């Protein structure tokens, strides 16, 4: 079955059951990274993922990896790190720097899917308070973090990075705890990963995921710039 090619005139996507099984979840190609198209994609459980020099590819894999904020799993070593209170965790303090670090080169792969165009597009979403970041600081150095898109009561996590051991995990723990306090119901982790399984993520079938998305994106958004409201020391004592 051929992949649907998008044009610049319509923000409609094909039905998610039209996605390919090989490669898993490839649904459409082309279009652009405009705010309206990105929001239309996320509202249907679809996300962009492609490499520099190739057309934009749009995905809806089956199954999907998700994390319930209340079910974040914290290993003993991470509990100790939280209790040490050596890092400061913030939200939306330096979104541009977080996405730039997420796009940085990594020892296990060459290149990045977070192209310059992707960075510009998500910076636009951030300025409109749809995209948000979590930062982990060691003094004045940014040493870990993550970013994603929030709609209603669901957070679509996009990418994370660590420059010191476990700092991306630290960002995810604090994100989950804060989202739980704000009554968010789901964190979309997109692609199946054993690393995310160790943090409590699990798989969900595409149909169920789509139904959850349709329900959750209709809830009121949490607008404006995010700030961490939970107490870092108290989080440490919870584990």
């Amino acid at each position: 079955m051929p992949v649907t090619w998008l044009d610049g005139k319509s923000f409609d996507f094909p039905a998610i059951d039209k996605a390919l099984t090989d490669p898993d979840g490839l649904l459409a190609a082309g279009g652009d990274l405009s705010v309206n198209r990105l929001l239309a994609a996320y509202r249907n459980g679809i996300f962009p993922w492609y490499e520099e020099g190739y057309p934009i590819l749009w995905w809806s894999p089956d199954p999907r990896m998700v994390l319930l904020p209340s079910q974040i799993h914290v290993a003993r070593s991470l509990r100790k790190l939280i209790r040490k209170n050596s890092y400061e965790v913030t939200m939306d303090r330096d979104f541009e720097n977080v996405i730039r670090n997420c796009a940085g080169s990594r020892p296990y792969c060459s290149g990045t899917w977070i192209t310059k165009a992707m960075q510009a597009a998500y910076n636009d979403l951030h300025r409109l308070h749809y995209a948000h970041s979590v930062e982990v600081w060691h003094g004045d150095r940014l040493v870990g973090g993550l970013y994603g898109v929030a709609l209603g009561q669901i957070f679509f996590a996009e990418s994370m990075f660590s420059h010191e051991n476990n700092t991306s995990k630290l960002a995810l723990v604090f994100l989950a705890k804060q989202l739980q306090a704000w009554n968010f119901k789901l964190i979309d982790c997109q692609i199946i990963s054993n690393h995310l399984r160790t943090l409590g993520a699990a798989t969900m079938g595409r149909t169920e995921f789509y139904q959850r998305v349709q329900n959750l994106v209709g809830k009121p958004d949490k607008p404006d710039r995010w700030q961490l409201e939970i107490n870092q020391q108290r989080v440490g004592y919870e584990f």
Side-chain angles (χ1 to χ4, degrees):
M1 182 168 55
V3 170
T4 299
W5 281 86
L6 307 177
D7 60 31
K9 299 178 181 179
S10 172
F11 299 132
D12 292 335
F13 285 87
I16 57 171
D17 61 6
K18 302 296 184 183
L20 301 183
T21 56
D22 186 18
D24 177 38
L26 180 58
L27 179 66
D32 56 32
L33 295 172
S34 64
V35 166
N36 287 338
R37 190 181 300 277
L38 284 169
L39 293 180
Y42 283 108
R43 287 181 177 124
N44 286 282
I46 300 163
F47 61 89
W49 188 29
Y50 70 107
E51 294 182 11
E52 190 76 62
Y54 290 86
I56 302 169
L57 302 178
W58 302 89
W59 301 81
S60 178
D62 186 21
R64 192 79 160 231
M65 180 146 274
V66 300
L67 173 64
L68 304 183
S70 62
Q71 294 184 5
I72 184 77
H73 174 71
V74 184
R76 182 179 300 175
S77 59
L78 190 53
R79 295 178 190 179
K80 291 180 179 178
L81 182 65
I82 293 171
R83 291 193 187 114
K84 285 177 64 178
N85 203 30
S86 301
Y87 297 99
E88 180 187 7
V89 183
T90 62
M91 287 181 144
D92 283 352
R93 181 181 291 182
D94 199 348
F95 182 93
E96 188 172 344
N97 204 8
V98 168
I99 194 171
R100 187 184 301 116
N101 276 271
C102 287
S105 60
R106 306 178 187 202
Y108 53 82
C109 66
S110 60
T112 177
W113 60 270
I114 308 175
T115 64
K116 293 293 186 183
M118 287 279 278
Q119 292 180 54
Y122 285 82
N123 278 314
D124 287 342
L125 285 175
H126 175 64
R127 282 187 283 271
L128 294 170
H129 306 300
Y130 290 111
H132 301 277
S133 59
V134 180
E135 301 88 13
V136 180
W137 304 88
H138 195 169
D140 60 357
R141 292 189 303 114
L142 182 64
V143 295
L146 59 81
Y147 77 95
V149 175
L151 293 172
Q153 292 177 345
I154 181 170
F155 186 86
F156 301 90
E158 279 294 319
S159 186
M160 58 175 63
F161 77 96
S162 287
H163 292 324
E164 295 185 6
N165 289 341
N166 291 323
T167 50
S168 64
K169 293 180 182 178
L170 193 62
L172 184 59
V173 168
F174 276 85
L175 172 70
K177 288 293 183 180
Q178 184 61 78
L179 293 181
Q180 185 180 0
W182 286 337
N183 204 34
F184 275 63
K185 302 302 184 185
L186 200 65
I187 300 173
D188 171 33
C189 302
Q190 298 181 347
I191 304 297
I192 296 173
S193 156
N194 289 331
H195 168 70
L196 290 170
R197 284 189 191 276
T198 66
L199 292 163
T203 56
M204 180 181 288
R206 179 166 55 209
T207 299
E208 181 183 355
F209 176 75
Y210 176 79
Q211 292 169 347
R212 294 289 299 274
V213 168
Q214 294 306 296
N215 177 53
L216 295 175
V217 298
K219 306 297 183 181
D221 291 329
K222 180 166 179 55
D224 302 325
R225 178 177 173 178
W226 284 7
Q227 288 186 308
L228 194 70
E229 297 174 358
I230 57 175
N231 184 283
Q232 286 188 229
Q233 284 190 311
R234 181 175 178 180
V235 168
Y237 286 116
E238 291 177 1
F239 300 110

